[in-house]
């Protein structure tokens, strides 16, 4: 989506940042790993949020995706924390990076088990280097296919070592979907396309990726993330880069405005000269101008785990992937010119009221310019009633009926969650990548050094089918067979007219104790 880009950094900033100049000219992997490009200015622009300290001797949670010290503020609707705020908002880490890779490890038991020990030693060394709360958060995800030694074959059966025996009882099974379909369906499924998918002109179809692994690094410190990246993917002694072939580096950010400073979305969009940048509210954490980390809309650990909700998967009580979860990952462009009324006639949202309706639902009574909105979740019947009466639905509102518990549920851990409790936990972040900071396949990924408004979307869910249902609801398709009677690309269909997905893949996140080459210990 090359038309999204803008002026980039000033000449003076370019001269002071030769690593970025080299990157823009056409980076090698080595340059891309050591340079964060435009994101290097973030730590100079905003003050990191205050976070509660973690006791040095306190073990980290068994879930990799859980942030040990989540920050919660009370927002007054402007995107700023305030003593008169009434909306609880989670403050994610400022820096968010994803590195995807395939494996270079030979497909045999000895090599994989040696790789398992080596990677775990590297990760533990990083943990010692960065004790809490300074440690860069790492979440290692296994893709579909998961490992060269563990991959789906015909019939979607997972087998060891190309034609070996299945692994009964180890890979998480989606019990509910298996019952509905009358066959075994795993919690991790291959990514798919959806009715509203429409990449930018000339891009082709959504690229359903086949990476073996993804690593998510999140921190308020860019230096910490870069050191963690170097340890995991560098080629030096005591590093793990010889295990991987890096396929992409995806960098981005979120927040920065809750203290009253100009948010990163506003500041960096202006810095990059993106169309529509001047219309981004000054404290909005994302390019589209609204807060997306409302506490009431996010699950709390361990709701999104594989094993927590009774009857959802077979991982309770002693599943191998207990404390794990599923992470769908995608990249999409955001058409800010259309969103803020600078696009083609009939396809844009020039009024705040239209953007509010598209983001949430019709009929929300909040003051003009409100950034943080927390409307109550509605039922599927409510959504179709609004479609009949107003001719449209909202992005957030459309997904709530399938993203929340339909009845009060007592978890396998004895905690009772009320009806309406969310089952997903978002971790997406804004980006200027186009579409990635680095790619090993520039032509196939349609790489451009020109900056573009986008989102690296990721979400944590108990099964891939949960995400399928959420994503279909975003297009107006519901599990009971009902669907809206207009195009899912219509401006009446939430945000769909202004987002363009380009890449997608689902990953299985192992528990922390099995983060390094899970299942390799069973090979012989």
């Amino acid at each position: 989506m090359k038309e999204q880009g803008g002026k980039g950094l000033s000449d003076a900033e370019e001269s002071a940042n030769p690593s970025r100049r080299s990157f823009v000219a056409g980076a090698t992997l080595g340059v891309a790993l050591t340079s964060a490009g435009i994101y290097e200015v973030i730590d100079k622009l905003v003050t990191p949020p205050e976070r509660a300290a973690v006791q040095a001797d306190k073990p980290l949670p068994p879930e990799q995706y859980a942030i040990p010290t989540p920050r919660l503020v009370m927002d007054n609707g402007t995107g700023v924390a305030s003593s008169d705020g009434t909306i609880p908002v989670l403050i994610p880490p400022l820096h968010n990076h994803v590195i995807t890779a395939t494996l270079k490890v030979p497909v045999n038991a000895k090599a994989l088990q040696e790789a398992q020990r080596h990677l775990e030693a590297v990760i533990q060394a990083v943990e010692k280097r960065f004790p809490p709360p300074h440690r860069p958060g790492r979440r290692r995800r296994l893709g579909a296919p998961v490992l060269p030694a563990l991959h789906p074959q015909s019939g979607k059966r997972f087998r060891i070592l190309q034609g070996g025996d299945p692994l009964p009882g180890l890979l998480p099974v989606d019990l509910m979907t298996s019952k509905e379909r009358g066959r075994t369906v795993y919690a991790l499924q291959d990514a798919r396309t959806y009715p509203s998918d429409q990449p930018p002109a000339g891009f082709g179809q959504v690229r359903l990726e086949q990476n073996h692994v993804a690593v998510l690094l999140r921190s308020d410190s860019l230096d910490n993330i870069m050191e963690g990246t170097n340890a995991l993917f560098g080629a030096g002694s005591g590093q793990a880069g010889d295990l991987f072939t890096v396929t992409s580096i995806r960098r981005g950010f979120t927040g920065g405005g809750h203290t009253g400073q100009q948010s990163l979305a506003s500041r960096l969009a202006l810095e990059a000269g993106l169309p529509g940048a001047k219309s981004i509210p000054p404290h909005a954490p994302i390019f589209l101008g609204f807060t997306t980390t409302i506490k009431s809309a996010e699950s709390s650990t361990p709701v999104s785990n594989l094993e927590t909700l009774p009857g959802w998967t077979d991982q309770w009580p002693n599943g191998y992937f207990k404390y794990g979860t599923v992470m769908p990952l995608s990249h999409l462009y955001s058409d800010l010119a259309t969103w803020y009324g600078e696009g083609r006639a009939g396809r844009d949202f020039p009024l705040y009221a239209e953007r509010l309706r598209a983001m949430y639902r019709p009929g929300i009574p909040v003051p003009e310019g409100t950034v943080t909105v927390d409307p109550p979740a509605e039922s599927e019947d409510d959504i179709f009633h609004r479609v009949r009466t107003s001719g449209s639905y909202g992005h957030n509102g459309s997904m709530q009926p399938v993203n929340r518990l339909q009845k009060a549920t007592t978890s396998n851990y004895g905690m009772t969650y009320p009806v309406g409790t969310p089952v997903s936990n978002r971790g997406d972040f804004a980006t200027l990548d186009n579409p990635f900071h680095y790619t090993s396949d520039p032509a196939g990924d349609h790489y451009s050094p020109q900056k573009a408004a986008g989102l690296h979307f990721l979400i944590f869910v108990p099964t891939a089918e949960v995400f399928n249902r959420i994503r279909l609801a975003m297009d107006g398709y519901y599990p009971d067979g009902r669907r809206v009677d207009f195009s899912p690309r219509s401006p009446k269909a939430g945000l769909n007219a202004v987002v363009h997905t380009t890449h997608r893949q689902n990953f299985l996140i192992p528990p922390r104790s099995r983060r390094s080459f899970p299942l390799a210990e069973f090979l012989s």
Side-chain angles (χ1 to χ4, degrees):
M1 198 168 183
K2 299 174 177 58
E3 72 276 12
Q4 287 278 338
K7 66 182 180 60
L9 296 177
S10 67
D11 291 341
E13 288 169 309
E14 287 279 12
S15 298
N17 193 347
S19 62
R20 184 177 183 276
R21 181 186 293 275
S22 300
F23 172 72
V24 171
T28 64
L29 173 61
V31 171
L33 283 170
T34 58
S35 170
I38 193 172
Y39 310 112
E40 292 174 0
V41 305
I42 289 175
D43 288 352
K44 300 176 183 178
L45 297 178
V46 298
T47 303
E50 294 181 4
R51 299 191 186 275
V54 177
Q55 291 178 250
D57 58 349
K58 183 179 180 180
L60 290 171
E63 298 88 0
Q64 289 200 82
Y65 72 97
I67 296 177
T69 55
R71 175 75 193 283
L72 187 70
V73 302
M74 300 303 292
D75 192 307
N76 62 7
T78 65
V80 176
S82 172
S83 59
D84 63 354
T86 59
I87 303 175
V89 172
L90 295 164
I91 305 299
L94 294 173
H95 298 276
N96 301 262
H97 296 189
V98 173
I99 300 96
T100 63
T102 56
L103 297 177
K104 294 195 294 187
V105 182
V107 185
N108 63 69
K110 180 180 179 181
L112 287 165
Q113 289 166 0
E114 288 179 352
Q116 183 184 58
R117 290 188 290 270
H118 177 51
L119 179 59
E120 183 60 24
V122 170
I123 294 175
Q124 289 186 18
V126 173
E127 290 178 334
K128 291 179 181 178
R129 172 72 178 85
F130 296 105
H134 308 291
R135 180 179 302 155
R138 295 168 311 286
R139 288 113 181 105
R140 187 169 182 274
R141 293 78 166 82
L142 303 180
V146 181
L147 291 174
L150 184 62
H151 59 93
Q153 288 191 339
S154 60
K156 305 301 180 187
R157 296 184 68 192
F158 289 80
R159 295 177 176 271
I160 289 183
L161 297 180
Q162 301 187 19
D165 294 328
L167 287 171
L170 294 179
L171 296 167
V173 173
D174 180 339
L175 297 177
M176 290 195 299
T177 306
S178 296
K179 182 178 180 180
E180 290 173 2
R181 298 181 185 176
R183 59 180 175 83
T184 299
V185 177
Y186 290 99
L188 176 67
Q189 302 176 40
D190 286 326
R192 52 163 289 183
T193 58
Y194 302 99
S196 69
D197 281 342
Q198 181 178 303
F203 194 94
Q205 297 298 311
V206 173
R207 197 164 200 189
L208 302 179
E209 299 180 275
Q210 292 292 308
N211 298 297
H212 295 156
V213 64
V215 173
L216 168 62
L217 296 158
R218 303 196 286 191
S219 178
D220 293 321
S221 165
L222 178 61
D223 288 344
N224 290 0
I225 281 188
M226 298 304 283
E227 286 198 43
T229 300
N230 189 46
L232 291 168
F233 297 100
S237 175
Q239 298 175 332
D242 59 335
L243 304 178
F244 305 110
T245 297
V246 173
T247 54
S248 75
I249 300 173
R250 313 174 192 204
R251 305 202 193 280
F253 55 89
T254 187
H258 75 279
T259 61
Q261 298 174 283
Q262 185 178 9
S263 73
L264 292 171
S266 171
R267 181 71 178 266
L268 293 181
L270 290 167
E271 186 72 44
L274 301 183
K278 293 180 180 179
S279 298
I280 298 172
H283 306 305
I286 64 169
F287 292 130
L288 296 182
F290 293 97
T291 300
T292 58
T293 55
I294 308 295
K295 186 177 186 295
S296 66
E298 301 291 330
S299 72
S300 58
T301 308
V303 176
S304 299
N305 288 18
L306 292 162
E307 82 286 349
T308 298
L309 299 173
W312 286 50
T313 78
D314 65 348
Q315 293 300 290
W316 180 265
N318 298 310
Y320 182 90
F321 287 99
K322 182 182 178 181
Y323 307 121
T325 189
V326 172
M327 185 190 78
L329 171 69
S330 57
H331 167 266
L332 53 90
Y333 290 112
S334 303
D335 183 352
L336 301 187
T338 297
W339 181 243
Y340 289 112
E342 301 174 12
R344 293 170 290 174
R347 292 283 313 268
D348 41 324
F349 302 79
L351 301 179
Y352 171 80
E354 294 171 344
R355 295 193 292 275
L356 180 70
R357 183 274 305 164
M359 177 62 78
Y360 296 102
R361 60 172 170 79
I364 297 178
V366 298
E368 175 89 11
T370 301
V371 169
T372 304
V373 183
D374 188 18
E378 295 189 319
S379 69
E380 187 177 324
D381 287 340
D382 293 328
I383 291 166
F384 279 91
H385 173 73
R386 291 189 183 278
V387 168
R388 289 191 298 271
T389 57
S390 70
S392 65
Y393 65 83
H395 169 76
N396 181 277
S398 69
M399 299 180 288
Q400 297 310 311
V402 294
N403 185 35
R404 294 175 182 264
L405 295 177
Q406 299 303 298
K407 61 181 180 180
T409 301
T410 299
S411 77
N412 286 319
Y413 293 102
M415 175 69 73
T416 298
Y417 296 101
V419 62
T421 297
V423 298
S424 68
N425 190 291
R426 290 178 59 167
D428 48 275
F429 52 95
T431 187
L432 296 171
D433 295 350
N434 193 359
F436 305 142
H437 179 76
Y438 164 85
T439 169
S440 62
D441 183 11
D445 287 327
H446 293 257
Y447 169 79
S448 170
Q450 196 171 22
K451 300 306 174 191
L455 188 75
H456 290 306
F457 179 86
L458 58 93
I459 189 170
F460 308 114
V461 286
T463 70
E465 188 60 25
V466 171
F467 176 71
N468 286 339
R469 294 187 178 203
I470 293 172
R471 184 58 184 77
L472 286 167
M474 174 178 152
D475 290 351
Y477 291 68
Y478 289 88
D480 62 4
R482 286 194 288 180
R483 54 165 294 186
V484 301
D485 59 0
F486 46 81
S487 167
R489 290 296 305 177
S490 166
K492 298 182 289 186
L495 305 179
N496 293 348
V498 297
V499 296
H500 301 271
T501 303
T502 63
H503 296 72
R504 184 178 292 128
Q505 186 175 359
N506 296 335
F507 294 87
L508 175 65
I509 306 177
R512 192 177 301 275
S513 62
R514 292 185 166 123
R515 60 194 171 186
S516 300
F517 287 83
L519 299 170
E521 65 269 28
F522 291 99
L523 303 179
S524 61

